[in-house]
């Protein structure tokens, strides 16, 4: 029997590191059930072991050190990115058939989730037009040259208007691990990568989760505890 509409979104957290390929398989299975009306929407918080993932626009020249970590083709939009411990992954499985069928508006809402999460720690995050999708922090010093660092990357895929993948938010990952790729294809030296801890905010993953869950509820509606798909 199809799921009743207007139910709260399920929210689940995996405490252990989840291998990337296993997570994608579990996500795809859950999305198929959502499409069929057999499961509720889900936002899944997790972390991965170190891995590089290639989006549908990835250029192989941006994989600078292919032997450093496993590399997976992800099927999401975007280019190369890194996932690893200390980075909060939010896989967002939402049914846009019951929402606004507007991909750009959906991406903007995900950016707003990160911006609102950062605001909870008195950090100003900003989205940028063009190829610099994600959320950035302006670190330009007074009188100095422009410097902006990305703190969250976004990449989605839709299956019959149900979303897959989502966002990665840097809480305390090893930032040197981004050195094996050109993150998101942005090679301009003015634009780097940062995290909450790198910015001087010793925030725990639990603290980040509390702020991010509240931000998801603001953008997409009530969440209630559910079961991780893996």
């Amino acid at each position: 029997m199809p799921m009743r509409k207007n139910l709260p979104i399920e929210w689940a957290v995996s405490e252990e590191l989840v291998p990337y390929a296993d997570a994608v398989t579990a996500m795809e299975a859950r999305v198929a059930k959502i499409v069929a009306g057999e499961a509720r929407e889900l936002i899944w918080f997790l972390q991965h072991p170190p891995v590089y993932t290639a989006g549908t626009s990835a250029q192989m020249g941006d994989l600078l050190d292919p032997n450093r970590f496993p590399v997976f083709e992800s099927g999401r939009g975007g280019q190369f990115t890194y996932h690893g411990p200390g980075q909060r992954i939010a896989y967002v499985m939402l049914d846009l058939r019951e929402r606004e069928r507007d991909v750009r508006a959906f991406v903007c809402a995900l950016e707003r989730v990160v911006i609102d999460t950062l605001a909870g720690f008195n950090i100003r995050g900003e989205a940028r037009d063009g190829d610099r999708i994600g959320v950035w922090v302006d670190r330009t010093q007074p009188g100095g040259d422009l410097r902006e660092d990305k703190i969250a990357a976004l990449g989605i895929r839709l299956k019959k208007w149900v979303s897959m993948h989502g966002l990665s938010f840097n809480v305390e990952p090893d930032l040197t691990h981004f050195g094996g790729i050109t993150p998101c294809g942005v090679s301009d030296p003015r634009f780097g990568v940062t995290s909450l801890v790198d910015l001087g905010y010793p925030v725990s993953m639990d603290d980040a989760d509390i702020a991010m869950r509240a931000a998801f509820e603001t953008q997409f509606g009530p969440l209630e505890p559910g079961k991780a798909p893996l």
Side-chain angles (χ1 to χ4, degrees):
M1 178 180 296
M3 300 297 298
R4 182 171 60 85
K5 299 178 182 179
N6 300 319
L7 290 170
I9 302 164
E10 290 190 346
W11 171 70
V13 180
S14 292
E15 299 297 339
E16 303 296 326
L17 298 180
V18 181
Y20 182 79
D22 294 346
V24 171
T25 298
M27 175 172 53
E28 290 176 342
R30 177 60 175 253
V31 165
K33 290 184 177 181
I34 296 171
V35 169
E38 298 171 354
R40 287 164 57 182
E41 297 175 305
L42 173 68
I43 295 174
W44 183 19
F45 283 12
L46 66 155
Q47 298 178 71
H48 291 308
V51 62
Y52 295 133
T53 69
T56 55
S57 301
Q59 303 295 316
M60 290 309 298
D62 288 332
L63 181 59
L64 306 178
D65 188 353
N67 298 316
R68 189 170 187 178
F69 298 124
V71 181
F72 289 91
E73 294 185 5
S74 69
R76 58 161 173 79
Q79 303 189 48
F80 275 104
T81 193
Y82 164 77
H83 298 318
Q87 183 187 72
R88 175 51 81 211
I89 303 296
Y91 284 141
V92 182
M93 292 160 260
L94 297 182
D95 191 346
L96 301 192
R97 296 171 300 182
E98 305 299 328
R99 301 171 182 276
E100 186 179 9
R101 297 195 187 200
D102 185 329
V103 177
R104 182 56 196 161
F106 181 59
V107 170
C108 287
L110 292 176
E111 290 174 335
R112 175 52 60 181
V113 166
V114 177
I115 290 168
D116 289 350
T117 300
L118 291 170
F121 301 107
N122 296 314
I123 300 170
R124 180 180 176 84
E126 298 176 287
R128 292 289 181 255
D129 294 331
D131 295 334
R132 290 204 288 136
I133 294 173
V135 177
W136 298 78
V137 177
D138 189 343
R139 305 185 77 177
T140 306
Q141 297 298 314
D145 294 333
L146 173 68
R147 173 71 188 191
E148 294 184 349
D149 288 342
K150 178 179 278 192
I151 196 166
L154 278 70
I156 65 167
R157 176 184 171 191
L158 296 180
K159 180 178 181 180
K160 296 183 178 179
W161 287 103
V162 177
S163 65
M164 302 173 61
H165 300 279
L167 64 87
S168 58
F169 177 62
N170 297 333
V171 179
E172 191 180 6
D174 185 336
L175 296 179
T176 67
H177 289 178
F178 286 89
I181 57 172
T182 302
C184 301
V186 179
S187 58
D188 190 320
R190 297 175 300 172
F191 307 128
V193 181
T194 191
S195 68
L196 289 177
V197 171
D198 180 57
L199 291 170
Y201 294 80
V203 175
S204 71
M205 189 66 71
D206 287 343
D207 290 337
D209 285 352
I210 290 169
M212 185 173 285
R213 176 176 176 171
F216 266 113
E217 288 193 313
T218 297
Q219 292 300 315
F220 297 110
L223 276 62
E224 68 177 22
K227 183 178 180 181
L230 187 65

